[in-house]
Amino acid sequence: MRAPVFPEPILPVQPKTMKDFQEDVEKVKSSGDWKAVHDFYLTTFDSFPELNAAFKKDATTSFNTIEDCGINAKFVNAVYDALLNTPPDIQKTVLKGIINSLLREWKGPRTKDDLRAYFILLQNPQFNNTSTYVIYAHLLRQIATLVEADHHFLVHWFKKLSQKRFKQLVERLLQFISLRLFPAKPEEFPPITKCSWWIPSASKVLALLNTANNLVHPPLIPYTDFYNSTLDHIDLMEEYHTWQSFGNSHRFSFCQYPFVISIAAKKIIIQRDSEQQMISIARQSLVDKVSRRQRPDMNMLFLNMKVRRTHLVSDSLDELTRKRADLKKKLKVTFVGEAGLDMGGLTKEWFLLLIRQIFHPDYGMFTYHKDSHCHWFSSFKCDNYSEFRLVGILMGLAVYNSITLDIRFPPCCYKKLLSPPIIPSDQNIPVGICSVTIDDLCQIMPELAHGLSELLSYEGNVEEDFYSTFQVFQEEFGIIKSYNLKPGGDKIPVTNQNRKEYVQLYTDFLLNKSIYKQFAAFYYGFHSVCASNALMLLRPEEVEILVCGSPELDMHALQRSTQYDGYAKTDLTIRYFWDVVLGFPLDLQKKLLHFTTGSDRVPVGGMADLNFKISKNETSTNWLPVAHTCFNQLCLPPYKSKKDLKQKLIIGISNSEGFGLE
């Protein structure tokens, strides 16, 4: 049986055009008479049919597609922009009309005209005012409880909004949630027990906007604009445990809508979850020891790594393989034959040295692409992929132990790392495979991606002019090998008709199939440490920030949080230093950060989390500055002039080898 199609109601006649309305508003300036404007608002906002009559491009056309909502957006904007400058009685008239519309008794499913009315009302700037929140909440609940097919229409209409109007919608909803959580005047709102549905409804509507934003490339606003920093101040672990216990069922948790949780808040959830797992495993080790009547040893509470500098990779691999049950314990590193307690410096040095060695081109595991300044997995076949697992474990340990790594993987890598975010129980299910596009390829091999784009747009005869087949050729240890992109691919010519398929298969081969075993080992390594439902809260970009830090530098924040040893912040040398550094262009600021910390990125917690220190180096002022990257420490001689300091600092940070380790 076919579902009945309900006819759209006949709309009332709306004689006013946008030009008429604007002329009425202009006349008010000279006459002071608001009657015509008042009548327009009274009529327009009286009901859903009146809203459609006023703002629909053509009252006789149904506009039943996702591509065109059929609304005159400029007219809607003009009416709302003028509304806030009208007398209070007109604004009250609009709100009364909205209340009557929302209280209307519904019979049957919503029509597209109803959806248009919701779409228009949601943009009302009056809802910025807390005095309208009760009405706003009811509007949000009605939109949130629409059926999925109606949400589908709204999502596609939202993505057609201008960036300015879209951002206003998001900010209004975030403010609504924040003020319901922490009201400045609690008496303005009903008791929380009577409006427990407010925040879930707003979060659901925000989810529709987030979906719309993700459908547009580039997105209308950055994904970080959906973060609600107010949530950093609630009990996040309670939210997480509620979500763990009830999933996406009737019990609300902000973890059902992770796009509103900031990366800083997600890091807290992941770290606390990690700490609880660490404590649980350490406690079990202790219980086992006691039950066997053995004396407990404090070392059993840590993942203790003993490695030789001369055999760094092999020793690290052996230790991590032997101690795979301890991966979720706190990491401590000892270099064989060297005295010293690991207070964090040795652990960081171990990471820096390992990463430098593994990612060196001569090591053969990763290929560095100069055009994109990033590493990608070598497709060379080998008997053992355990070293790729080691890199995955390293990344997992870095997240677990709050170490920022200087790794340059493309965004596609983190998308693959979350495919799926939880290790599947069925070992036959492939991991690290995600849908990839030519845009993903462009972030790694821009020249090749450009060539494939030209193939797609080529106006001549592709088969005759390119003479290509569904085959890929790769050099492996000096031997050219061919791989079919599909069965019998060597006999299938690339034509104007099948070139899209060829480009898609080629991209999928390079980013998925040709490196499957390498990436699967890497995936399992990472998840052996970071196996946690908290990963389901993360976007690929957020995983990258957790591993590598943020590229956004705030040198003023670094100045505020810097510690001094042998210097005071008022000393002339220090004043010279900050005058110079704050005046540096971004590339030199990044070089300074890389020189002193081993990475040019900032931890999730910001510059303060670097624990950056400037120490006085009682040496000749002819010497260059020295860095101890393991401790984020810069040793600065007491230069006598700003010019001398700037010259020596630039030479030092521009010519440091490798990680600038000492």
mmCIF file of all heavy atoms in Angstrom, residues 602-625:
data_model
loop_
_atom_site.group_PDB
_atom_site.id
_atom_site.type_symbol
_atom_site.label_atom_id
_atom_site.label_comp_id
_atom_site.label_asym_id
_atom_site.label_seq_id
_atom_site.Cartn_x
_atom_site.Cartn_y
_atom_site.Cartn_z
ATOM 1 N N VAL A 602 51.006 22.884 20.140
ATOM 2 C CA VAL A 602 50.668 23.201 21.529
ATOM 3 C C VAL A 602 49.777 22.103 22.104
ATOM 4 O O VAL A 602 48.868 21.637 21.417
ATOM 5 C CB VAL A 602 49.909 24.552 21.592
ATOM 6 C CG1 VAL A 602 49.639 24.958 23.028
ATOM 7 C CG2 VAL A 602 50.696 25.629 20.866
ATOM 8 N N PRO A 603 50.020 21.668 23.348
ATOM 9 C CA PRO A 603 49.149 20.652 23.952
ATOM 10 C C PRO A 603 47.705 21.138 24.041
ATOM 11 O O PRO A 603 47.434 22.346 23.985
ATOM 12 C CB PRO A 603 49.732 20.457 25.364
ATOM 13 C CG PRO A 603 51.093 21.050 25.327
ATOM 14 C CD PRO A 603 51.092 22.096 24.270
ATOM 15 N N VAL A 604 46.787 20.183 24.200
ATOM 16 C CA VAL A 604 45.358 20.506 24.257
ATOM 17 C C VAL A 604 45.050 21.528 25.347
ATOM 18 O O VAL A 604 44.232 22.412 25.175
ATOM 19 C CB VAL A 604 44.527 19.215 24.481
ATOM 20 C CG1 VAL A 604 43.087 19.552 24.797
ATOM 21 C CG2 VAL A 604 44.606 18.341 23.246
ATOM 22 N N GLY A 605 45.744 21.449 26.471
ATOM 23 C CA GLY A 605 45.494 22.366 27.579
ATOM 24 C C GLY A 605 46.032 23.759 27.364
ATOM 25 O O GLY A 605 45.866 24.634 28.221
ATOM 26 N N GLY A 606 46.696 23.992 26.224
ATOM 27 C CA GLY A 606 47.237 25.318 25.924
ATOM 28 C C GLY A 606 48.691 25.459 26.336
ATOM 29 O O GLY A 606 49.330 24.522 26.816
ATOM 30 N N MET A 607 49.230 26.646 26.137
ATOM 31 C CA MET A 607 50.646 26.923 26.395
ATOM 32 C C MET A 607 51.048 26.629 27.846
ATOM 33 O O MET A 607 52.177 26.237 28.117
ATOM 34 C CB MET A 607 50.957 28.386 26.067
ATOM 35 C CG MET A 607 50.947 28.704 24.584
ATOM 36 S SD MET A 607 52.307 27.890 23.708
ATOM 37 C CE MET A 607 52.348 28.821 22.181
ATOM 38 N N ALA A 608 50.115 26.828 28.770
ATOM 39 C CA ALA A 608 50.443 26.621 30.194
ATOM 40 C C ALA A 608 50.855 25.176 30.456
ATOM 41 O O ALA A 608 51.675 24.905 31.339
ATOM 42 C CB ALA A 608 49.244 26.998 31.063
ATOM 43 N N ASP A 609 50.310 24.235 29.665
ATOM 44 C CA ASP A 609 50.624 22.811 29.865
ATOM 45 C C ASP A 609 52.035 22.451 29.421
ATOM 46 O O ASP A 609 52.507 21.339 29.682
ATOM 47 C CB ASP A 609 49.618 21.934 29.109
ATOM 48 C CG ASP A 609 48.348 21.702 29.919
ATOM 49 O OD1 ASP A 609 48.162 22.416 30.918
ATOM 50 O OD2 ASP A 609 47.551 20.826 29.554
ATOM 51 N N LEU A 610 52.717 23.377 28.734
ATOM 52 C CA LEU A 610 54.098 23.106 28.290
ATOM 53 C C LEU A 610 55.092 23.158 29.454
ATOM 54 O O LEU A 610 56.173 22.565 29.374
ATOM 55 C CB LEU A 610 54.529 24.133 27.237
ATOM 56 C CG LEU A 610 54.035 23.927 25.810
ATOM 57 C CD1 LEU A 610 54.461 25.096 24.938
ATOM 58 C CD2 LEU A 610 54.566 22.622 25.224
ATOM 59 N N ASN A 611 54.733 23.886 30.520
ATOM 60 C CA ASN A 611 55.673 24.114 31.633
ATOM 61 C C ASN A 611 57.013 24.638 31.100
ATOM 62 O O ASN A 611 58.091 24.143 31.452
ATOM 63 C CB ASN A 611 55.893 22.827 32.442
ATOM 64 C CG ASN A 611 54.612 22.383 33.125
ATOM 65 O OD1 ASN A 611 53.888 23.206 33.677
ATOM 66 N ND2 ASN A 611 54.311 21.104 33.059
ATOM 67 N N PHE A 612 56.920 25.639 30.244
ATOM 68 C CA PHE A 612 58.100 26.212 29.581
ATOM 69 C C PHE A 612 58.954 26.980 30.593
ATOM 70 O O PHE A 612 58.439 27.729 31.417
ATOM 71 C CB PHE A 612 57.616 27.146 28.465
ATOM 72 C CG PHE A 612 58.707 27.758 27.637
ATOM 73 C CD1 PHE A 612 59.514 26.978 26.821
ATOM 74 C CD2 PHE A 612 58.925 29.129 27.657
ATOM 75 C CE1 PHE A 612 60.508 27.548 26.044
ATOM 76 C CE2 PHE A 612 59.921 29.711 26.882
ATOM 77 C CZ PHE A 612 60.713 28.915 26.079
ATOM 78 N N LYS A 613 60.272 26.749 30.519
ATOM 79 C CA LYS A 613 61.176 27.399 31.475
ATOM 80 C C LYS A 613 62.347 28.043 30.737
ATOM 81 O O LYS A 613 62.897 27.453 29.800
ATOM 82 C CB LYS A 613 61.710 26.371 32.473
ATOM 83 C CG LYS A 613 62.672 26.971 33.516
ATOM 84 C CD LYS A 613 63.278 25.885 34.411
ATOM 85 C CE LYS A 613 62.347 25.538 35.536
ATOM 86 N NZ LYS A 613 63.009 24.661 36.541
ATOM 87 N N ILE A 614 62.727 29.261 31.154
ATOM 88 C CA ILE A 614 63.934 29.918 30.651
ATOM 89 C C ILE A 614 64.944 29.970 31.790
ATOM 90 O O ILE A 614 64.656 30.518 32.857
ATOM 91 C CB ILE A 614 63.642 31.346 30.135
ATOM 92 C CG1 ILE A 614 62.633 31.309 28.982
ATOM 93 C CG2 ILE A 614 64.932 32.018 29.671
ATOM 94 C CD1 ILE A 614 62.235 32.685 28.460
ATOM 95 N N SER A 615 66.102 29.355 31.559
ATOM 96 C CA SER A 615 67.158 29.324 32.585
ATOM 97 C C SER A 615 68.330 30.193 32.157
ATOM 98 O O SER A 615 68.624 30.328 30.954
ATOM 99 C CB SER A 615 67.647 27.887 32.799
ATOM 100 O OG SER A 615 66.601 27.078 33.279
ATOM 101 N N LYS A 616 69.000 30.753 33.145
ATOM 102 C CA LYS A 616 70.171 31.585 32.857
ATOM 103 C C LYS A 616 71.365 30.685 32.581
ATOM 104 O O LYS A 616 71.681 29.786 33.362
ATOM 105 C CB LYS A 616 70.470 32.499 34.045
ATOM 106 C CG LYS A 616 71.452 33.622 33.727
ATOM 107 C CD LYS A 616 71.482 34.623 34.874
ATOM 108 C CE LYS A 616 72.253 35.886 34.491
ATOM 109 N NZ LYS A 616 72.201 36.897 35.548
ATOM 110 N N ASN A 617 72.000 30.917 31.443
ATOM 111 C CA ASN A 617 73.187 30.143 31.071
ATOM 112 C C ASN A 617 74.407 31.041 31.299
ATOM 113 O O ASN A 617 74.667 31.960 30.526
ATOM 114 C CB ASN A 617 73.081 29.721 29.601
ATOM 115 C CG ASN A 617 74.071 28.629 29.240
ATOM 116 O OD1 ASN A 617 74.901 28.255 30.071
ATOM 117 N ND2 ASN A 617 73.976 28.119 28.021
ATOM 118 N N GLU A 618 75.136 30.767 32.399
ATOM 119 C CA GLU A 618 76.272 31.628 32.780
ATOM 120 C C GLU A 618 77.484 31.338 31.903
ATOM 121 O O GLU A 618 78.511 30.835 32.358
ATOM 122 C CB GLU A 618 76.614 31.411 34.255
ATOM 123 C CG GLU A 618 75.487 31.776 35.214
ATOM 124 C CD GLU A 618 75.329 33.278 35.402
ATOM 125 O OE1 GLU A 618 75.997 34.050 34.687
ATOM 126 O OE2 GLU A 618 74.518 33.677 36.253
ATOM 127 N N THR A 619 77.335 31.616 30.605
ATOM 128 C CA THR A 619 78.434 31.401 29.656
ATOM 129 C C THR A 619 78.668 32.697 28.897
ATOM 130 O O THR A 619 77.979 33.694 29.111
ATOM 131 C CB THR A 619 78.079 30.289 28.652
ATOM 132 O OG1 THR A 619 76.860 30.650 27.993
ATOM 133 C CG2 THR A 619 77.906 28.943 29.345
ATOM 134 N N SER A 620 79.615 32.628 27.985
ATOM 135 C CA SER A 620 79.921 33.801 27.171
ATOM 136 C C SER A 620 78.709 34.192 26.339
ATOM 137 O O SER A 620 77.974 33.335 25.830
ATOM 138 C CB SER A 620 81.107 33.500 26.257
ATOM 139 O OG SER A 620 81.226 34.501 25.263
ATOM 140 N N THR A 621 78.510 35.484 26.168
ATOM 141 C CA THR A 621 77.388 35.955 25.350
ATOM 142 C C THR A 621 77.665 35.749 23.857
ATOM 143 O O THR A 621 76.826 36.087 23.019
ATOM 144 C CB THR A 621 77.099 37.446 25.617
ATOM 145 O OG1 THR A 621 78.310 38.194 25.479
ATOM 146 C CG2 THR A 621 76.530 37.644 27.006
ATOM 147 N N ASN A 622 78.825 35.174 23.544
ATOM 148 C CA ASN A 622 79.103 34.796 22.150
ATOM 149 C C ASN A 622 78.439 33.462 21.810
ATOM 150 O O ASN A 622 78.358 33.087 20.646
ATOM 151 C CB ASN A 622 80.616 34.680 21.911
ATOM 152 C CG ASN A 622 81.304 36.037 21.984
ATOM 153 O OD1 ASN A 622 80.729 37.049 21.576
ATOM 154 N ND2 ASN A 622 82.514 36.081 22.532
ATOM 155 N N TRP A 623 78.018 32.752 22.849
ATOM 156 C CA TRP A 623 77.403 31.438 22.638
ATOM 157 C C TRP A 623 75.950 31.588 22.191
ATOM 158 O O TRP A 623 75.272 32.575 22.511
ATOM 159 C CB TRP A 623 77.443 30.618 23.931
ATOM 160 C CG TRP A 623 78.806 30.056 24.246
ATOM 161 C CD1 TRP A 623 80.013 30.631 24.021
ATOM 162 C CD2 TRP A 623 79.072 28.792 24.851
ATOM 163 N NE1 TRP A 623 81.022 29.825 24.448
ATOM 164 C CE2 TRP A 623 80.477 28.671 24.972
ATOM 165 C CE3 TRP A 623 78.281 27.752 25.331
ATOM 166 C CZ2 TRP A 623 81.107 27.562 25.524
ATOM 167 C CZ3 TRP A 623 78.892 26.641 25.883
ATOM 168 C CH2 TRP A 623 80.285 26.542 25.971
ATOM 169 N N LEU A 624 75.496 30.542 21.475
ATOM 170 C CA LEU A 624 74.089 30.491 21.066
ATOM 171 C C LEU A 624 73.247 29.931 22.216
ATOM 172 O O LEU A 624 73.767 29.255 23.103
ATOM 173 C CB LEU A 624 73.922 29.592 19.834
ATOM 174 C CG LEU A 624 74.629 30.037 18.551
ATOM 175 C CD1 LEU A 624 74.454 28.980 17.482
ATOM 176 C CD2 LEU A 624 74.100 31.379 18.063
ATOM 177 N N PRO A 625 71.931 30.183 22.198
ATOM 178 C CA PRO A 625 71.058 29.559 23.208
ATOM 179 C C PRO A 625 71.083 28.032 23.052
ATOM 180 O O PRO A 625 71.336 27.503 21.969
ATOM 181 C CB PRO A 625 69.667 30.105 22.874
ATOM 182 C CG PRO A 625 69.898 31.279 22.008
ATOM 183 C CD PRO A 625 71.172 31.038 21.273
#
